[in-house]
Amino acid sequence: LRAFLQIPGVTGCQTKMVMGRACADPSPVAANESSAAVGFVRHRMAFVGIAERRLETLCLWHATFGTPLWSIEVSAAATAPVQNHTAPAGLELDD
């Protein structure tokens, strides 16, 4: 983790991306950018998922926006290198 944080531009990556900058932008995040990014996520972003909980995030996305969950999405989530890929009981898939 320390080595990763030493890469120029990595610190503040998510904030930079929310503000429309590249993650590896070498200039530091300004205080006003941090505040603006927090406000955007809290008040304007329609959905925030959790990468480590991909399948649950997919299910929540589709339930929130009323779209069908495709079996290919479940397969992709199940093969991703993260933990906890058990489909919820009773999950119905649309092919």
Side-chain angles (χ1 to χ4, degrees):
L1 179 61
R2 289 178 198 195
F4 176 73
L5 292 175
Q6 299 296 321
I7 298 171
V10 167
T11 302
C13 176
Q14 290 85 356
T15 301
K16 292 175 186 178
M17 291 192 302
V18 166
M19 297 308 300
R21 293 170 50 192
C23 177
D25 183 337
S27 59
V29 173
N32 65 326
E33 287 181 299
S34 294
S35 298
V38 168
F40 180 80
V41 171
R42 283 188 176 162
H43 304 292
R44 297 184 60 208
M45 193 170 278
F47 186 85
V48 176
I50 301 173
E52 292 81 6
R53 305 295 296 258
R54 290 181 182 167
L55 186 56
E56 291 90 340
T57 295
L58 283 169
C59 291
L60 183 57
W61 167 271
H62 289 287
T64 299
F65 297 107
T67 57
L69 178 62
W70 299 86
S71 58
I72 189 72
E73 294 174 288
V74 175
S75 297
T79 59
V82 294
Q83 298 176 357
N84 194 5
H85 295 299
T86 305
L91 177 69
E92 294 183 21
L93 303 175
D94 292 335
D95 291 315

